[in-house]
Amino acid sequence: MPAVSGMIRAMSAVPRVFLASPEKNAQEITSLLRKADQECADLCVFPELALCGYTCGDLIPQPALLDGCLRALKTLLDLDVRCTFIVGLPLDLDGRLYNCAAVISRGRLLGIVPKLHLPNSGEFYERRWFEPGRTAPESTHLFGQDVPVGSGLCFNCGRFSFGVEICEDLWVPIPPSSSLCASGALLIANLSASNELVGKHKTRCELIAQQSSRCLCGYLYSSAGYGESTTDLVFSGYAGIYENGSMLSENERFQRTSSYAIADIDVQCLEYKRRLRHSFSDETVVPLHHVFFDFPVIPHDDRLLRPMRSLPFVPDGSGRDEEDILTIQATALITRMECVGTKRAVLGVSGGLDSTLTLLAAAYAFRRAGYDMTGLTGITMPGLGTGSRTLQNALKLMELIGCTSKTISIGAAVAQHFEDIGQNPDIHDVCYENSQARERTQIVMDFANKFNALALGTGDLSELALGWCTYNGDQMSMYNVNASIPKTLIRPLLRYAASLFGDEVVSVVEDIMDTPISPELIPSREGELTQRTEDTLGAYALHDFFLYHMMESGSSPIRLYELALRAFDGQYAPREILSTLRTFVRRFFTQQFKRSAMPDGPKIVAVSLSPRGDWRMPSDAQMELWMNEVNYLEKHIF
């Protein structure tokens, strides 16, 4: 299984502390650095003052301890380790003492970052020993190297860049990481010594997550642990790795031995999101000193050390997201109906997933608005391939909901149309199928005009992405509350929506969800469906996965394939993944013209293909660059 491009492996390490013993602390740190190499880590961060211990008190300015820390730093500098790492120690710079982070990469001391904000109240009194970082010199000379000094250092190896802040720096109104990230740093390493209090850990984690989200960055946090003095305080040794508001990995706190958290951070995704969020670069930034260094790619193992959900659109099952989604749909629909001055809506109800969701969302909206449910009309329009199961489910569902139900057969109208245009009804081509879809849309639209109703669309986001809809047929409506709902999200939404209408509705909806997805446009054979959408397109789970990661991180086909291999390991064979990816790329490009003319509908999930909002693409864009990657995979893997 190939490594996933665009990711770096980060490690937050918490060594067991030996107070005032830099040599022993260096040994613990060395052991963790060896582990970091075994884990193929690119970047590793250790706690604040890790070489001596945070709670050394008045021993900190003692020459013996400071000299011991320098010797320990030299020991670490001479190590033959692959990863870049950051370690905390006290340093005398031009006769002043600073709480510092030393950044080391393959024998080179890349920089010294002094702590900017020194806590000096309650249990903290750092100003007793240290000077604030803003008074530090711009450089120093250590171990024969000229070393830059400052809080505005951005370390950049080309594949990733990072800045450093120390403990209290995160807790101030404008953390240094804000300026560092606004000026280009993709990752932040925080060396900390944060004591434990009841409730503090939750606040700490929320603060880290919030800052990583605000700064669109990866955040490596490492805090002092076992071995620190418990005279007045207890340190739990928390290590956590976060990315854009989400925790990727954390250790177990209060361990008596060294521990760590490790995760793969998606730097490509962070870069992509920053390019899209133009307000991100509007922030007034401080000039940074960029420290460039060579850092060869460390060959990663086959593991992907981060959560990778195969169904990224599907909620966690708590019901909160489903409630929000349904409420957004209802609010959008009622707002539009008020604007056009109607309390009536009409839609085609097929007994399939999409129209069932539109029907339930509309019924929920009518209930919330206090509208007469009979003002909601569902029309079943059996045609040349309609199955009895879906038809009966549609009729039963409308009866249970209490909306108005009509059945209008399209068989005769379509047959007349075939005769008019000279279509052979025995030839089941695209004209045969689309004529039925357009006839149904005409009925819904004309019914809406006749009764001053709003014609509701039923197509979903996945169908829009693939163009799996008939242009000026089911692609068109007066308003579509499903426009931003991907196919894999529909089933959990249906379960939640059905539960709001009672057990009988739940029973019908469960049967609808058990029915294979089909457009039902080709006559069945002996009662069996002859059209199963996923037999033609490939699994919607794969298509939704590709859509999500293409839109969220700008992933190219090679990267989509790499991610899908891990997310669907054991579920879909590599060849099936690649075949579906080929279909996705081809249809996404060739079917843009349908999205360019899509009707209004509310954005609900993070991904939207509205031509008026998130996705503006020419209908005649060439797919060559993307398809070349698919062909490359085909050639070199199979």
Side-chain angles (χ1 to χ4, degrees):
M1 192 176 288
V4 176
S5 55
M7 295 194 186
I8 69 111
R9 185 158 294 175
M11 181 170 168
S12 293
V14 179
R16 193 258 193 242
V17 178
F18 294 91
L19 274 179
S21 181
E23 182 179 357
K24 288 185 178 180
N25 290 325
Q27 291 172 1
E28 289 289 313
I29 291 169
T30 297
S31 178
L32 282 166
L33 285 172
R34 301 293 185 204
K35 186 65 177 177
D37 271 3
Q38 292 173 16
E39 295 277 14
C40 304
D42 297 293
L43 182 65
C44 183
V45 60
F46 292 93
E48 181 179 10
L49 298 178
L51 283 179
C52 60
Y54 182 78
T55 53
C56 281
D58 286 341
L59 293 176
I60 289 176
Q62 289 285 314
L65 188 65
L66 295 177
D67 290 344
C69 286
L70 281 175
R71 289 193 297 272
L73 181 63
K74 183 63 167 65
T75 298
L76 298 179
L77 194 63
D78 292 340
L79 287 177
D80 181 19
V81 293
R82 293 178 298 177
C83 74
T84 298
F85 63 96
I86 309 141
V87 64
L89 76 162
L91 275 178
D92 184 316
L93 301 173
D94 290 355
R96 293 183 173 186
L97 194 58
Y98 296 91
N99 182 345
C100 293
V103 182
I104 298 171
S105 183
R106 302 185 180 227
R108 179 183 168 191
L109 188 54
L110 298 179
I112 300 294
V113 179
K115 188 173 183 177
L116 271 181
H117 302 93
L118 303 177
N120 209 55
S121 60
E123 61 265 47
F124 298 104
Y125 36 93
E126 289 187 32
R127 287 181 184 267
R128 182 179 177 94
W129 313 294
F130 298 115
E131 297 290 332
R134 63 180 177 274
T135 67
E138 293 183 356
S139 64
T140 189
H141 192 78
L142 278 174
F143 312 122
Q145 302 182 32
D146 291 320
V147 184
V149 177
S151 60
L153 300 181
C154 181
F155 305 91
N156 193 328
C157 70
R159 287 194 301 122
F160 63 92
S161 59
F162 65 93
V164 178
E165 61 186 7
I166 303 175
C167 199
E168 182 74 7
D169 290 343
L170 173 62
W171 296 77
V172 300
I174 306 177
S177 52
S178 296
S179 295
L180 287 166
C181 289
S183 299
L186 280 172
L187 311 173
I188 296 295
N190 187 312
L191 300 77
S192 188
S194 183
N195 64 306
E196 289 301 331
L197 299 170
V198 175
K200 184 176 181 180
H201 180 62
K202 181 175 182 290
T203 301
R204 178 193 300 121
C205 292
E206 290 174 346
L207 184 62
I208 300 169
Q210 184 184 66
Q211 187 65 0
S212 72
S213 177
R214 179 184 293 113
C215 292
L216 275 175
C217 71
Y219 203 103
L220 291 65
Y221 183 92
S222 175
S223 185
Y226 189 79
E228 292 285 2
S229 172
T230 58
T231 300
D232 291 303
L233 307 175
V234 173
F235 296 84
S236 67
Y238 178 63
I241 299 176
Y242 293 71
E243 177 188 303
N244 191 25
S246 298
M247 189 271 292
L248 301 182
S249 176
E250 62 183 357
N251 69 341
E252 182 180 343
R253 294 181 297 150
F254 298 108
Q255 297 189 57
R256 296 175 61 193
T257 57
S258 297
S259 64
Y260 63 91
I262 189 165
D264 292 334
I265 296 178
D266 194 342
V267 292
Q268 177 179 307
C269 180
L270 295 172
E271 288 175 328
Y272 182 73
K273 286 182 175 295
R274 287 187 181 184
R275 283 197 295 269
L276 295 183
R277 188 183 296 178
H278 296 291
S279 60
F280 187 84
S281 58
D282 289 344
E283 178 68 25
T284 301
V285 298
V286 297
L288 291 188
H289 177 66
H290 288 270
V291 180
F292 297 98
F293 64 104
D294 293 326
F295 188 71
V297 175
I298 295 176
H300 287 189
D301 49 36
D302 289 341
R303 298 171 300 161
L304 180 61
L305 302 183
R306 61 182 287 117
M308 181 55 61
R309 299 170 59 206
S310 59
L311 302 174
F313 289 113
V314 176
D316 58 13
S318 66
R320 291 188 297 271
D321 288 341
E322 290 89 337
E323 181 181 7
D324 283 350
I325 291 169
L326 203 61
T327 303
I328 292 171
Q329 287 182 295
T331 302
L333 178 56
I334 294 303
T335 302
R336 178 53 59 96
M337 291 176 68
E338 287 183 352
C339 285
V340 300
T342 184
K343 294 185 178 181
R344 298 176 64 91
V346 58
L347 71 152
V349 182
S350 68
L353 294 176
D354 295 344
S355 65
T356 300
L357 179 59
T358 301
L359 177 64
L360 292 177
Y364 180 67
F366 270 57
R367 177 189 287 182
R368 284 175 59 90
Y371 290 177
D372 186 343
M373 196 64 76
T374 60
L376 175 62
T377 300
I379 306 177
T380 61
M381 293 167 280
L384 307 180
T386 301
S388 60
R389 180 181 182 183
T390 52
L391 178 59
Q392 293 307 312
N393 278 334
L395 293 171
K396 182 64 174 177
L397 184 60
M398 289 188 285
E399 177 188 347
L400 292 171
I401 289 174
C403 67
T404 299
S405 172
K406 288 186 66 66
T407 297
I408 301 174
S409 176
I410 65 170
V414 170
Q416 179 62 54
H417 181 61
F418 285 167
E419 182 178 341
D420 292 342
I421 66 172
Q423 169 70 19
N424 185 342
D426 295 326
I427 298 177
H428 299 162
D429 56 8
V430 66
C431 177
Y432 180 93
E433 295 188 20
N434 286 351
S435 294
Q436 298 173 71
R438 292 193 178 102
E439 178 62 27
R440 290 184 172 118
T441 300
Q442 176 179 260
I443 290 171
V444 172
M445 288 283 192
D446 291 346
F447 186 94
N449 291 158
K450 181 177 177 63
F451 294 100
N452 189 35
L454 195 68
L456 305 183
T458 59
D460 61 53
L461 178 68
S462 307
E463 293 178 345
L464 285 169
L466 298 170
W468 194 249
C469 52
T470 298
Y471 190 76
N472 204 32
D474 53 312
Q475 170 257 357
M476 186 49 61
S477 66
M478 296 177 184
Y479 198 68
N480 186 3
V481 294
N482 285 356
S484 181
I485 304 293
K487 190 73 78 176
T488 50
L489 179 54
I490 290 179
R491 282 186 170 87
L493 280 177
L494 286 177
R495 289 191 182 94
Y496 179 81
S499 70
L500 303 178
F501 289 91
D503 292 341
E504 288 188 88
V505 171
V506 169
S507 179
V508 175
V509 169
E510 286 290 343
D511 192 61
I512 290 172
M513 290 191 293
D514 288 340
T515 306
I517 300 171
S518 171
E520 295 191 324
L521 295 171
I522 302 296
S524 61
R525 298 192 186 98
E526 298 179 357
E528 292 295 323
L529 284 174
T530 53
Q531 283 183 299
R532 294 173 184 261
T533 299
E534 290 179 299
D535 290 346
T536 302
L537 292 179
Y540 271 117
L542 288 171
H543 286 298
D544 281 0
F545 183 87
F546 297 147
L547 177 64
Y548 177 86
H549 287 283
M550 185 187 76
M551 299 293 287
E552 279 291 282
S553 63
S555 293
S556 66
I558 288 177
R559 194 166 189 264
L560 290 174
Y561 178 76
E562 293 168 350
L563 293 171
L565 282 179
R566 286 159 173 79
F568 295 98
D569 186 24
Q571 186 174 353
Y572 298 108
R575 189 174 290 278
E576 183 178 0
I577 292 173
L578 184 56
S579 174
T580 306
L581 178 58
R582 180 181 293 278
T583 299
F584 175 81
V585 172
R586 176 177 58 82
R587 294 195 66 93
F588 188 86
F589 274 85
T590 60
Q591 303 297 299
Q592 170 63 27
F593 72 98
K594 296 178 182 177
R595 298 190 291 269
S596 295
M598 64 183 281
D600 291 355
K603 180 178 179 179
I604 294 175
V605 299
V607 173
S608 170
L609 293 174
S610 168
R612 298 166 295 277
D614 293 52
W615 192 249
R616 304 177 190 192
M617 169 183 167
S619 298
D620 44 10
Q622 301 298 297
M623 71 177 89
E624 181 180 2
L625 291 174
W626 288 262
M627 197 58 79
N628 283 346
E629 291 198 14
V630 177
N631 294 334
Y632 174 87
L633 290 169
E634 181 76 37
K635 180 178 179 180
H636 289 83
I637 294 177
F638 300 109

